[in-house]
Amino acid sequence: MVDAPNGLSDHFGLEQEDNHDGTMYDDADLVIDEFESSDENDEFIKSLTKQNLLPTGCCYDDRMKLHANADFGPSPHHPEDPRRIEEIMKIFKKAGLVYTGPDTELSEILKDTPTKYMWRIPARDATRAEICTCHTARHFDWVRGLSNMSTQDLRQLSHSLDQGRASLYVGAMSFEAALLAAGGAIETCKNVVAGRIRNGFAIIRPPGHHAEYDCSMGFCLFNNVPIAATICQREYPEKCRKILILDWDVHHGNGIQNLFYTDPNVLYISLHVYQNGQFYPGKPENPRIPDGGIDQVGEDAGRGKNVNIGWADQGMGDGEYLAAFQKIVMPISQEFNPDLVIISSGFDAAQGDELGGCFVTPSCYAHMTHMLMSLAGGKVAVCLEGGYNLKAISQSALAVARTLMGEPPPQMEQLPRIEKEAAKVLAKVQATHAPYWECMRPGIIDIPESDAGANRLHDVVRGYQRQNLAERFSMVPLFIQREALFKSFENQVLVSAGIQEKKKVLFIIHDPPELVAMPDVIDNTVEPHNAFILDGVASYVEWAYNNGFGVIDANVPHYVTRPEDVDPYIPGANERTLSVQIKELVNYIWDNYLQLYEAEDIFLLGVGNAYLGVKLLLTERHCKDRVTGVVNFVTGNLRPVKSAVDEDLSTWYKKNSLVYVANDHACWSDPDLAKKVGKKRFGGVKRSNQVGLNRMMQEHAGEVHEWITGRLPDSGNTTEDEKMT
């Protein structure tokens, strides 16, 4: 006989009975039957409901620990450790969330403080029919067949399955534990929907969200949450039509996504690490099966009901997750207006979990839970998925449980700025789902393919710059005799007239001007008088022109417009693409123009990400003897200049450069990094007191002009040391 779980559901004092069909029920199961059949208990529940005193439920059963790895190889321990659920239950009891005292006091507790403790929900075996609402009968039979295999066969099977995308282990009791996990999820969700508890937490394993309809994978045998959701929809069609499944496990829940991909009544939102499809579970072998990419939005009637917030890399923390909730999760969920919220609650994004590699704190989990409790009249069911650091999973689960029980989330310290790539991910999710959700449309524009009058603003801006520089300084486009480069940099490289005869040349490699605008808050339109172009480079071109310099102005666009492009939001070029384009450009300009000019003094000016071109020119061409000085303005990556064939290059760069680095740059936040950037390969680094390229260029213009002038021969400085002074 299995010991009855401790808890408030024991208060009826009913002993275990045999159900006469081979299934063992404990007293907690009989309490649920009692609730459903007893008029007295119906009145008790109604009374608690009227007083807003419904408790939080908790589902747990030690028997789920019997699922263990049969492969006792050199490394018998597995991340999906049976102790995961035990540690959560221990911390619940230690924190006083689950009652552990004598039964004699239960009546008074129920009468005086019915919400003081979590009410225990029994975990029972899910039936074949229930599991086959989401899985094939063949798959059910495969899992059931594990119970009849020999230990040797189970070990061999575990060893073979624990490879690649399958990533699974099995044991002699895996089937029995999987039935309890699915049954526990069903009972927790049903009790929430039926109104017998306010909300609930199912401490279950094995997890489920990777299991496909026809196979197990990713530590998962049966997909617990979809089974529970489907049963609730079928048994409570009036109360539970629309369900939100929020999956914050660090891995994408491919199984849940694919089971509901065409279902308009289930909104699936997943926050996970994607890494361009490289992070587990990765891309399916069948390319027609969707993965965890942002562009996978559902099909047919389910379009828009599948929301993937796939982080570009690990390392996400509280700031990124709360931003995702505020910008994407909650607006869409509120517009969807679910009848039930199920949290597919993996805690492997928690700080301390080595598999996840993220930094979400228990406080953040509490705040996310609190936000979700504002939906569906507070009907929230939490079902455990992954999470493999025992301390992190138990503390995170405790924070969620306290919040479910009505405790306010703890005040959080000031959050760090959201990681830039994460902000881009959220912007892309918003743009992707703008066609399906009204709340995603502010900030999103629709450019129809037939609108021949639509031009990308960066092309318009460069056209204005070309005209302005031509009128003021007689600058003209530089012809680039390379087919690929010409298409990319048509009108992007301008030169002043007669540059080949100038003794002084300033070669500027810069990002496009910064655009700032205040859109109308109602219709998202931007009036021209509310938009501005911030072009810090123009004043440097003017100074150089007035001081007798020849000027080459190379504008490096973040994206090259193509006629077939109609997407209103396109991310900028990645580092690799940018590097290839800039490298070919600067080398071409040096080989075919600068190197052939009669200039005695050539200065390089790098601005923004485009200053990568300065590094590439210095490392790709032996040109330092012709370059008199280098000035860079840096807000992004700080790039080292070193060469395997020219050992003196870094030393030369240190002596002959000014590198202004933004005041908020990450290198200043760590003393070790700040010390590192002082090394010669990073150049003459100076910390600017300004933030942003235009402010930096304006602030240091006088210093730069004086520094350049001081390095010219006619300045009176004749030696290298005097030049540096």
Side-chain angles (χ1 to χ4, degrees):
M1 302 291 286
V2 180
D3 291 338
N6 296 322
L8 285 180
S9 57
D10 300 338
H11 76 276
F12 287 95
L14 298 171
E15 298 179 354
Q16 293 177 332
E17 294 181 6
D18 192 323
N19 200 42
H20 306 297
D21 62 355
T23 304
M24 297 304 300
Y25 287 82
D26 62 22
D27 53 348
D29 293 300
L30 294 173
V31 169
I32 294 298
D33 292 338
E34 198 76 10
F35 271 130
E36 292 176 345
S37 60
S38 168
D39 293 338
E40 179 182 348
N41 288 309
D42 286 343
E43 290 301 318
F44 180 60
I45 293 295
K46 289 179 182 178
S47 173
L48 294 180
T49 304
K50 288 180 181 179
Q51 300 175 64
N52 197 27
L53 293 176
L54 281 177
T56 294
C58 175
C59 180
Y60 176 81
D61 195 307
D62 259 343
R63 290 175 294 174
M64 285 182 277
K65 290 163 54 182
L66 296 175
H67 168 57
N69 191 359
D71 178 25
F72 299 105
S75 302
H77 296 291
H78 194 280
E80 212 287 276
D81 191 318
R83 292 175 296 170
R84 294 167 60 245
I85 58 172
E86 181 181 31
E87 290 300 313
I88 293 175
M89 196 60 181
K90 279 183 179 179
I91 203 169
F92 281 11
K93 290 181 178 180
K94 186 176 180 180
L97 273 57
V98 175
Y99 182 71
T100 57
D103 292 349
T104 54
E105 298 178 7
L106 283 173
S107 297
E108 290 301 317
I109 291 173
L110 285 169
K111 179 180 178 182
D112 298 333
T113 54
T115 61
K116 184 177 181 179
Y117 299 103
M118 303 175 85
W119 285 24
R120 293 291 298 279
I121 301 169
R124 50 94 173 168
D125 290 351
T127 66
R128 178 190 177 96
E130 288 172 332
I131 289 175
C132 288
T133 58
C134 294
H135 293 285
T136 63
R138 183 177 181 180
H139 175 56
F140 178 88
D141 292 338
W142 181 85
V143 179
R144 182 173 59 181
L146 298 173
S147 300
N148 301 320
M149 294 179 67
S150 68
T151 301
Q152 182 179 356
D153 289 343
L154 287 168
R155 289 181 180 179
Q156 291 178 350
L157 182 60
S158 287
H159 182 72
S160 64
L161 289 174
D162 196 18
Q163 311 290 328
R165 197 165 187 258
S167 190
L168 183 71
Y169 74 74
V170 293
M173 298 296 290
S174 295
F175 173 63
E176 289 75 9
L179 291 181
L180 286 168
I186 293 170
E187 289 304 310
T188 301
C189 293
K190 283 177 63 176
N191 277 276
V192 171
V193 173
R196 291 193 282 271
I197 54 176
R198 177 172 53 180
N199 48 50
F201 197 131
I203 311 172
I204 54 177
R205 66 174 293 273
H209 73 150
H210 292 310
E212 297 283 4
Y213 77 100
D214 60 348
C215 68
S216 301
M217 62 175 283
F219 308 166
C220 304
L221 295 174
F222 297 135
N223 211 324
N224 307 314
V225 166
I227 293 169
T230 304
I231 295 301
C232 287
Q233 286 178 319
R234 292 188 178 187
E235 296 191 12
Y236 301 95
E238 300 301 322
K239 291 183 177 181
C240 188
R241 185 172 66 90
K242 296 193 297 181
I243 297 177
L244 162 65
I245 300 176
L246 188 283
D247 188 344
W248 62 38
D249 190 286
V250 79
H251 303 96
H252 178 243
N254 55 289
I256 301 178
Q257 169 179 281
N258 295 334
L259 283 166
F260 295 119
Y261 206 59
T262 60
D263 193 330
N265 292 317
V266 176
L267 170 62
Y268 177 65
I269 304 179
S270 176
L271 296 97
H272 57 271
V273 174
Y274 182 57
Q275 281 184 343
N276 197 31
Q278 300 305 307
F279 198 75
Y280 190 86
K283 295 181 179 292
E285 294 181 4
N286 185 345
R288 291 179 295 179
I289 298 176
D291 67 353
I294 292 172
D295 57 340
Q296 308 298 335
V297 299
E299 290 181 353
D300 302 329
R303 290 190 68 81
K305 301 302 192 302
N306 196 85
V307 183
N308 283 327
I309 304 173
W311 305 121
D313 208 344
Q314 295 170 282
M316 301 299 105
D318 292 357
E320 289 77 24
Y321 273 74
L322 289 177
F325 260 68
Q326 292 164 354
K327 295 176 180 293
I328 307 294
V329 175
M330 293 310 298
I332 290 180
S333 298
Q334 287 163 347
E335 187 172 333
F336 179 66
N337 192 23
D339 302 312
L340 172 67
V341 176
I342 306 178
I343 304 177
S344 234
S345 183
F347 291 113
D348 40 8
Q351 187 172 8
D353 192 294
E354 295 181 358
L355 278 184
C358 291
F359 303 98
V360 181
T361 65
S363 296
C364 183
Y365 281 116
H367 279 270
M368 293 191 294
T369 303
H370 191 257
M371 284 187 268
L372 292 171
M373 288 169 64
S374 68
L375 304 167
K379 292 183 180 293
V380 177
V382 180
C383 295
L384 185 65
E385 296 285 359
Y388 308 104
N389 180 295
L390 297 181
K391 182 178 179 181
I393 191 175
S394 55
Q395 291 181 339
S396 300
L398 177 62
V400 169
R402 288 187 186 278
T403 306
L404 291 175
M405 295 180 72
E407 192 171 307
Q411 184 174 350
M412 301 183 71
E413 298 180 5
Q414 185 174 359
L415 296 173
R417 294 178 63 181
I418 180 173
E419 202 265 343
K420 188 175 293 186
E421 289 303 314
K424 292 180 180 178
V425 166
L426 297 181
K428 187 173 181 180
V429 174
Q430 181 187 1
T432 300
H433 283 273
Y436 315 111
W437 302 100
E438 190 69 34
C439 60
M440 293 291 101
R441 287 173 192 162
I444 303 300
I445 58 176
D446 182 23
I447 304 297
E449 295 184 33
S450 59
D451 193 346
N455 295 301
R456 294 194 180 273
L457 188 56
H458 76 158
D459 294 324
V460 177
V461 169
R462 190 54 179 173
Y464 154 77
Q465 286 181 301
R466 173 185 172 182
Q467 181 179 354
N468 182 47
L469 294 175
E471 291 178 356
R472 296 176 63 189
F473 313 119
S474 302
M475 296 183 74
V476 296
L478 183 71
F479 180 71
I480 301 174
Q481 196 172 0
R482 294 284 188 279
E483 183 177 357
L485 270 184
F486 180 73
K487 290 179 180 178
S488 297
F489 289 95
E490 183 181 10
N491 296 326
Q492 303 293 348
V493 182
L494 306 176
V495 297
S496 56
I499 188 173
Q500 66 274 12
E501 300 172 357
K502 296 289 184 180
K503 299 298 182 182
K504 302 175 292 186
V505 171
L506 178 63
F507 180 19
I508 308 174
I509 310 168
H510 63 89
D511 287 353
E514 184 180 352
L515 305 176
V516 292
M518 179 62 72
D520 187 285
V521 295
I522 304 300
D523 60 12
N524 201 44
T525 57
V526 177
E527 298 289 345
H529 62 275
N530 291 324
F532 305 88
I533 298 173
L534 307 180
D535 186 5
V537 173
S539 64
Y540 284 74
V541 174
E542 182 178 14
W543 175 84
Y545 179 82
N546 291 337
N547 285 272
F549 281 77
V551 179
I552 299 179
D553 178 283
N555 179 77
V556 180
H558 297 309
Y559 173 79
V560 180
T561 302
R562 297 178 177 85
E564 66 272 14
D565 292 333
V566 295
D567 191 344
Y569 179 80
I570 299 176
N574 58 37
E575 177 84 359
R576 184 175 181 180
T577 302
L578 188 67
S579 179
V580 170
Q581 288 190 342
I582 294 180
K583 176 180 175 180
E584 190 173 358
L585 175 69
V586 296
N587 288 346
Y588 179 87
I589 292 175
W590 179 264
D591 294 342
N592 295 278
Y593 296 98
L594 277 174
Q595 162 174 254
L596 306 178
Y597 291 164
E598 298 180 2
E600 298 173 357
D601 294 283
I602 298 174
F603 290 87
L604 307 178
L605 175 59
V607 181
N609 289 329
Y611 111 91
L612 171 63
V614 172
K615 168 189 173 174
L616 293 172
L617 179 58
L618 292 173
T619 55
E620 291 288 325
R621 293 293 184 268
H622 189 73
C623 60
K624 72 176 192 292
D625 294 337
R626 295 283 310 276
V627 175
T628 307
V630 178
V631 179
N632 293 316
F633 291 95
V634 183
T635 56
N637 292 335
L638 188 58
R639 306 178 189 281
V641 174
K642 57 182 179 179
S643 171
V645 297
D646 185 353
E647 296 180 355
D648 297 329
L649 180 60
S650 293
T651 302
W652 176 90
Y653 184 56
K654 179 75 172 181
K655 291 181 178 179
N656 294 277
S657 68
L658 278 179
V659 182
Y660 293 99
V661 180
N663 192 47
D664 64 345
H665 196 280
C667 72
W668 307 123
S669 62
D670 186 317
D672 292 335
L673 285 177
K675 185 178 180 180
K676 185 177 180 180
V677 300
K679 295 183 178 181
K680 58 187 179 182
R681 64 179 180 270
F682 292 103
V685 174
K686 287 191 172 185
R687 182 173 185 173
S688 175
N689 59 355
Q690 295 293 325
V691 174
L693 289 174
N694 288 288
R695 290 193 180 96
M696 290 168 62
M697 296 184 75
Q698 183 178 2
E699 173 74 14
H700 303 292
E703 300 170 35
V704 172
H705 298 162
E706 184 178 351
W707 186 82
I708 291 177
T709 303
R711 301 182 71 80
L712 295 171
D714 57 5
S715 68
N717 298 333
T718 57
T719 68
E720 191 66 27
D721 290 340
E722 288 174 335
K723 283 184 179 181
M724 288 303 298
T725 302

